[in-house]
Amino acid sequence: MDLFKNVKNGFIEMIFGPRWTYIATVRTFLQNFLSITLADNKWADVISMAASELLENAVKYASEEGTKIQVEHKKEDNKLFLHVENFSYQDNIKILQKEIEFITSGDPQEVYLKKMQEAALRTDGGSQLGLARIRYESNASISFDVEGDLVKVTVIFDLK
Amino acid sequence: MNKFGIENVITEKATVELADIANGIKVTFTGDIDVQNPEPIFVPFFEQIHNKVIQNSVKYVELDFSKLTFLNSSGIKTLIKWITKVTPLPADQKYRFKIVANSEITWQETSLKMLAMLAPGLIEISIK
């Protein structure tokens, strides 16, 4: 059975929603699960925060049902991969692409500060802070893939 | 009730309470702030406090986050909006913040330190 072949890496996958009310449940589950799995509890906090921020974006900008979250702990490299997938509109995908390019272009602290200054002037409901916050608080790398209207954001945490 | 007569904010998962202290006022955050759009809840509350603080020449506001277990980035934005209202004020109207953070809640140390960078010289951080 495939289920038992992948034992060298820890793996979680959940498909739901997208519903805002599930986000806190998923965040709490990940926080509890990872605090048992990972040696340093701080990573459980940081990764569950990152998952929560990505899921918030997935719910806000989804074009149809279906949000998938995957967490894979590659023990040999001591890296944790967090993937969040959802369907979105092309306009939102373009905004996300520009956002990730900006977020990953400079020093995490400087980028986050710049995004905070921009957030102070925003009058819509969004903050556009989530991705910058994840990078600043974790020093993780952030990337994304697009296939049609399916968007997959990947955050890689170096747990060393 | 506090001296400003401002009602506390109570949501399903969080409370934000305003209290009088000897040298100013204290705002205590408890629970999780993770609603989709916290602005209609928190921005008017923070604006009321800001206006009363100026009217009453209060010079010290303590923000105690030590019992706040989660704050999403939209919630962070509401705090940014408050703090950045103080920086452009004339010197006689400016007031100082003290942010109280809990070292056992990982996001607090990192996220709350960044708030201090928005208003250099106006925010002190105390991590317990």
Side-chain angles (χ1 to χ4, degrees), chain A residues 20 24 27 42 45-46 52-53 56 60 109 112-113 116 119-120 122 124 126-127 129-130 133 136-137, chain B residues 13 32 34-36 39 70-74 76-77 80-81 84 106-107 110-111 114-115 117-118:
Chain A
W20 194 269
R27 181 178 69 241
K42 288 200 168 186
D45 292 344
V46 169
S52 190
E53 293 286 359
E56 286 193 12
K60 278 182 193 168
Q109 182 172 291
Y112 190 32
L113 185 60
M116 289 174 103
R122 291 179 71 96
D124 57 11
S127 73
L129 286 173
R133 179 190 191 189
Y136 167 68
E137 293 200 17
Chain B
K13 294 169 72 179
D32 286 348
D34 60 1
V35 290
Q36 186 161 3
E39 285 194 46
F70 187 75
L71 177 63
N72 65 6
S73 53
S74 300
I76 291 174
K77 180 187 170 190
I80 292 168
K81 282 187 170 285
T84 53
T106 306
W107 64 267
T110 44
S111 282
M114 285 300 291
L115 290 177
M117 296 183 75
L118 285 171

Side-chain angles (χ1 to χ4, degrees), chain B residues 51-110:
Chain B
N51 292 335
K52 290 284 188 183
V53 162
I54 293 171
Q55 285 165 19
N56 291 276
S57 301
V58 170
K59 295 296 173 194
Y60 178 82
V61 175
E62 188 170 310
L63 303 177
D64 185 349
F65 294 97
S66 59
K67 294 176 190 161
L68 188 70
T69 43
F70 187 75
L71 177 63
N72 65 6
S73 53
S74 300
I76 291 174
K77 180 187 170 190
T78 65
L79 290 166
I80 292 168
K81 282 187 170 285
W82 181 5
I83 287 166
T84 53
K85 276 180 178 290
V86 182
T87 45
L89 290 173
D92 62 327
Q93 291 187 349
K94 273 197 169 82
Y95 54 94
R96 294 175 58 80
F97 291 97
K98 179 179 182 179
I99 288 176
V100 179
N102 183 342
S103 63
E104 291 182 4
I105 301 173
T106 306
W107 64 267
Q108 291 202 356
E109 220 169 304
T110 44

Side-chain angles (χ1 to χ4, degrees), chain A residues 26-39:
Chain A
V26 174
R27 181 178 69 241
T28 304
F29 167 74
L30 283 179
Q31 207 279 335
N32 290 337
F33 190 92
L34 294 173
S35 65
I36 297 167
T37 311
L38 304 176

